[in-house]
Amino acid sequence: MREQANLLLGKIDRYIAAPLNQDVATRLFDNRNGIVKLLSILDQKHFSAAFVGKIGAGKTSAICRVSGLQYEGIDNEPVDVLKTGAGRTTVCEVAVEYAARYSIKVDPVQEDEIQRFVRNFADFIWTKAHKSVADEDEGGNLLSEELTRCIRNMLGLIIEKKKEDGKWRSNDKALEFSKDCKSVEEVYDLMSSCLALEARTETELWPNPEESRCWQGWLKENFARINDGKNKAVSIPTRITIRGPFPLMRGDIVWSIVDTRGIDSYIHREDIRRTLDTEGIFPIICSSFVDAPDADCRSFYELGVELGLGRRVARDVTLLILDKNESDKVADIDSDIEDVEDRKSIGRSIREDQVSNKISHEYKISPNIITFDSRIDSGSEIWDALESRRIAYITSKSNDLETLLSASEELLSAEVIKAEAFEHDIHNLVSQWRKSADARSPDWTNFGEYIKSVFSATHHRTLAASIDRRGSWYNLNVYEAINQRARSSAVKFCISEIVELKNSLALLRGKYPEFANQIDALESQCTTEFDSFSAYVGDIAKEHWIEQVMTFLYIWNSMASEWGQGSGYKARVIEHWMDWIKLDKSVSIHNSLLRRIASAWGRVLAEAQS
């Protein structure tokens, strides 16, 4: 196909250099750009698999299994190189990449954000010492368990466990540390001085030759120390990359594996949205066996549909059901079947059918499912699933390329008069749709109403951490929530427009059968234009809110002042928020955003019309 494409590109270039018809030349120029882009995609050799799932689902163990980061421990039990546990273990996103040498690369958190972490921790310790507030209480700790553990270790203010009189007792060194302080500012200043951030400058670690011979132990120990804040030369990581000669080369394809932060009941995060948006990244959605498909797994499919990415989800996503020795205990297995392996096989089949039916019914997507036990199943099962997804992706791009090649051949070989008539009808079709579409510009309710529901559904600690950062917190980013809400609204708005255009193009197929492939390419282009509009709406809504709302300190300060004022925190925050939404300033911010969206709507299909 590449040889055919190169020959056709030469023909297109010659036509564009001496066009018989300018409209046809413009169409061929667009086709040429599409052909070149698709050829580049087909040449792609680097891909990623991103594991997504709730905290404690077991995705890290699956990653270790598939990446060669497991080894046999005592009693032949598998040991994961990357630290795992019952949940809330990994402090940040972790990637595994192929390299000739073993190393651990750290992307550190910005220093001002680390100081904010310390400020949050100091505030909590001071409040705990003086008001006996626990971590989970309103007015308690804003930081997650994994971040708190990291900060405590960096400061040397851990909670010690000692056995006295046969009982284990806890001693919080941070509380002891703050006893002699006269104010929270003094606690903060002392903690800041203990951090010694000026010494935490290392961003990549390599084993020496002797350590390289026992690389599993070196990686396990050093990864854990970095993740827990125990390496005094390394700052808090925002991303850890494990590099080495791992089994990530599959033929001439090189893979990287990403372990995303565990989902903590909130799916609308920027990293998850970017995973969905980026072709060449193949999401693996992890669900525990007992709960499959669990709420976070379903939320991922729902998010994909809301963002207009249903086709990509159906093609590229794998649903990984993590079996922790549970499949033989499914209630629907006939009691007469006693062989454990048979029971496991039947149990897995039953659960996969249940999950498939549920996802298909709720989201109109037939999921690609595999069930996997990280202790005993071969990593090749996941690799086979990934290769299947990659082949489906490449096949779809090959089909798109074939359509564009055929479409270009149609235009090049057509009679000039027929091509002119076709381009004239296309121009009229888009112009007529454009005139009718102008009367249907988006007119949406203030997106702040949606944020009220987000606040209401968010854990009070996460909400307070976000408000403390004027809405910008990785686990609740108000501006990312606005992005996804605006984009979802745009996707719904465009559905009827896409149907109308497809119906009009179907009529042209009957009139111009000789341009069938060009009409298919146009339909694909129109759909892409609407998708791009929806994504752009999300981007400009996020940008607009960051510019206009993040800087409106009054609302953030008023909500922040409610933390630690007793029960009913969320209700008071929401009351402040709703009062602000009704202000003229808030209405003005929303109306100016709608004008920007309307302007973008006016440019949809501009390329198709040309």
Side-chain angles (χ1 to χ4, degrees):
M1 190 181 292
R2 172 167 285 281
E3 184 178 350
Q4 176 191 353
N6 287 333
L7 289 172
L8 188 60
L9 288 173
K11 291 182 182 179
I12 292 173
D13 288 340
R14 288 190 290 274
Y15 186 97
I16 292 172
L20 298 175
N21 179 277
Q22 192 57 51
D23 289 336
V24 171
T26 300
R27 186 76 59 200
L28 285 170
F29 180 77
D30 290 342
N31 286 1
R32 188 190 196 288
N33 290 340
I35 290 167
V36 171
K37 182 178 179 180
L38 286 166
L39 287 173
S40 176
I41 290 172
L42 294 179
D43 286 340
Q44 186 176 349
K45 300 300 181 185
H46 289 80
F47 297 91
S48 294
F51 284 67
V52 179
K54 70 179 181 181
I55 292 171
K59 58 190 174 67
T60 304
S61 291
I63 287 170
C64 288
R65 188 73 168 179
V66 80
S67 304
L69 289 169
Q70 263 187 0
Y71 60 92
E72 285 189 3
I74 300 172
D75 298 327
N76 297 323
E77 284 295 311
V79 177
D80 297 326
V81 169
L82 305 183
K83 182 175 181 179
T84 58
R88 297 197 175 277
T89 303
T90 310
V91 76
C92 64
E93 178 178 280
V94 179
V96 184
E97 297 180 353
Y98 181 85
R101 292 179 60 194
Y102 296 106
S103 71
I104 303 176
K105 183 177 181 297
V106 176
D107 296 325
V109 173
Q110 294 294 317
E111 186 171 332
D112 60 343
E113 182 62 5
I114 294 176
Q115 292 292 355
R116 189 177 288 273
F117 291 160
V118 175
R119 162 67 71 180
N120 291 154
F121 185 62
D123 287 344
F124 165 61
I125 290 299
W126 181 260
T127 305
K128 185 176 182 179
H130 291 81
K131 298 182 181 179
S132 299
V133 172
D135 284 62
E136 290 295 323
D137 291 344
E138 293 182 5
N141 190 4
L142 297 187
L143 304 179
S144 64
E145 291 177 23
E146 54 271 32
L147 261 178
T148 299
R149 180 180 64 246
C150 196
I151 287 290
R152 281 184 175 276
N153 285 330
M154 288 174 72
L155 295 171
L157 301 176
I158 63 173
I159 298 177
E160 288 185 322
K161 297 287 186 180
K162 292 183 179 180
K163 197 169 187 179
E164 298 177 3
D165 301 325
K167 295 182 179 180
W168 287 98
R169 304 185 187 278
S170 298
N171 177 43
D172 190 337
K173 285 190 169 184
L175 286 178
E176 294 292 325
F177 177 86
S178 68
K179 274 185 178 179
D180 296 329
C181 296
K182 295 181 174 61
S183 68
V184 67
E185 289 297 332
E186 188 177 350
V187 175
Y188 169 68
D189 289 342
L190 288 171
M191 286 184 175
S192 294
S193 65
C194 291
L195 271 181
L197 288 179
E198 67 280 359
R200 296 179 176 273
T201 57
E202 291 288 341
T203 57
E204 191 156 13
L205 283 69
W206 292 270
N208 61 39
E210 183 177 344
E211 291 167 333
S212 294
R213 287 192 286 273
C214 301
W215 62 267
Q216 293 101 328
W218 181 86
L219 277 179
K220 184 174 178 61
E221 178 184 355
N222 282 277
F223 174 80
R225 288 178 59 79
I226 291 169
N227 183 69
D228 291 344
K230 292 181 178 179
N231 187 319
K232 294 182 179 181
V234 178
S235 186
I236 297 177
T238 188
R239 192 175 198 261
I240 301 173
T241 304
I242 308 296
R243 291 174 171 166
F246 308 121
L248 302 176
M249 304 263 303
R250 321 299 293 184
D252 61 345
I253 303 300
V254 182
W255 287 85
S256 60
I257 307 292
V258 178
D259 186 2
T260 63
R261 290 178 184 262
I263 299 172
D264 191 6
S265 76
Y266 188 69
I267 193 76
H268 298 277
R269 296 187 338 219
E270 182 177 6
D271 61 326
I272 294 175
R273 192 255 305 167
R274 290 191 182 281
T275 294
L276 268 168
D277 270 341
T278 309
E279 291 196 335
I281 296 178
F282 293 86
I284 297 181
I285 312 308
C286 302
S287 177
S288 61
F289 185 90
V290 173
D291 298 326
D294 62 32
D296 294 311
C297 170
R298 296 199 305 274
S299 293
F300 184 92
Y301 279 89
E302 182 178 356
L303 178 61
V305 172
E306 286 179 351
L307 297 182
L309 298 169
R311 287 170 298 168
R312 164 158 154 73
V313 170
R315 184 192 65 200
D316 295 349
V317 171
T318 301
L319 200 168
L320 185 66
I321 302 175
L322 293 166
D323 179 11
K324 298 178 181 178
N325 199 30
E326 299 155 321
S327 52
D328 61 316
K329 303 172 183 64
V330 172
D332 294 337
I333 301 174
D334 195 318
S335 58
D336 292 340
I337 300 173
E338 296 181 354
D339 182 81
V340 173
E341 293 306 314
D342 286 344
R343 291 182 64 84
K344 282 181 177 292
S345 179
I346 294 170
R348 288 184 173 192
S349 177
I350 290 171
R351 184 50 47 87
E352 287 176 8
D353 286 344
Q354 291 170 341
V355 171
S356 180
N357 290 336
K358 192 169 188 65
I359 298 296
S360 299
H361 174 72
E362 290 187 7
Y363 310 112
K364 307 299 183 277
I365 291 173
S366 180
N368 307 296
I369 303 174
I370 60 172
T371 305
F372 189 76
D373 188 329
S374 302
R375 299 171 302 107
I376 57 176
D377 289 334
S378 169
S380 63
E381 295 185 31
I382 294 179
W383 282 118
D384 289 345
L386 282 171
E387 181 60 14
S388 179
R389 302 281 67 75
R390 190 189 70 82
I391 289 173
Y393 168 70
I394 293 298
T395 299
S396 73
K397 298 303 177 183
S398 296
N399 292 339
D400 291 343
L401 177 60
E402 190 171 338
T403 297
L404 267 184
L405 294 175
S406 299
S408 300
E409 290 280 14
E410 289 171 351
L411 288 172
L412 286 166
S413 61
E415 296 177 9
V416 174
I417 294 176
K418 197 72 171 177
E420 287 177 347
F422 173 70
E423 286 296 330
H424 181 266
D425 282 358
I426 289 293
H427 180 83
N428 284 342
L429 183 156
V430 177
S431 295
Q432 290 170 11
W433 174 83
R434 178 73 274 151
K435 290 176 183 177
S436 64
D438 286 341
R440 300 191 293 271
S441 293
D443 182 18
W444 298 318
T445 303
N446 193 322
F447 292 127
E449 295 279 354
Y450 170 68
I451 297 302
K452 171 194 172 183
S453 66
V454 171
F455 284 177
S456 182
T458 301
H459 191 281
H460 58 265
R461 281 175 58 186
T462 302
L463 177 57
S466 179
I467 289 171
D468 185 59
R469 292 158 176 80
R470 288 187 280 163
S472 182
W473 178 235
Y474 78 89
N475 210 28
L476 174 55
N477 188 315
V478 168
Y479 312 102
E480 180 61 28
I482 289 295
N483 176 316
Q484 296 184 25
R485 180 65 171 186
R487 179 168 167 179
S488 174
S489 298
V491 167
K492 293 175 185 176
F493 181 80
C494 288
I495 287 175
S496 60
E497 311 296 332
I498 294 171
V499 170
E500 182 181 333
L501 272 169
K502 284 185 175 181
N503 290 338
S504 298
L505 288 170
L507 295 175
L508 283 185
R509 275 194 190 87
K511 185 176 180 179
Y512 297 102
E514 64 271 45
F515 294 122
N517 285 291
Q518 184 59 58
I519 292 171
D520 286 344
L522 275 168
E523 183 175 304
S524 177
Q525 180 188 349
C526 289
T527 301
T528 299
E529 289 286 327
F530 282 116
D531 290 344
S532 297
F533 166 74
S534 298
Y536 180 68
V537 166
D539 289 342
I540 64 173
K542 181 176 183 176
E543 172 193 299
H544 190 84
W545 266 60
I546 289 173
E547 290 175 353
Q548 301 293 325
V549 180
M550 180 182 275
T551 56
F552 206 87
L553 299 182
Y554 164 75
I555 181 59
W556 300 110
N557 290 339
S558 64
M559 293 190 296
S561 67
E562 295 295 345
W563 186 244
Q565 299 304 310
S567 61
Y569 163 73
K570 283 208 292 185
R572 295 193 303 274
V573 163
I574 290 171
E575 185 177 354
H576 282 296
W577 182 255
M578 293 311 296
D579 287 344
W580 183 77
I581 289 299
K582 297 170 188 173
L583 294 179
D584 289 343
K585 177 62 177 177
S586 176
V587 174
S588 174
I589 288 171
H590 181 70
N591 289 339
S592 62
L593 172 59
L594 287 184
R595 287 193 293 273
R596 292 181 67 181
I597 292 171
S599 176
W601 178 241
R603 297 192 298 273
V604 173
L605 299 192
E607 291 186 12
Q609 191 169 5
S610 64

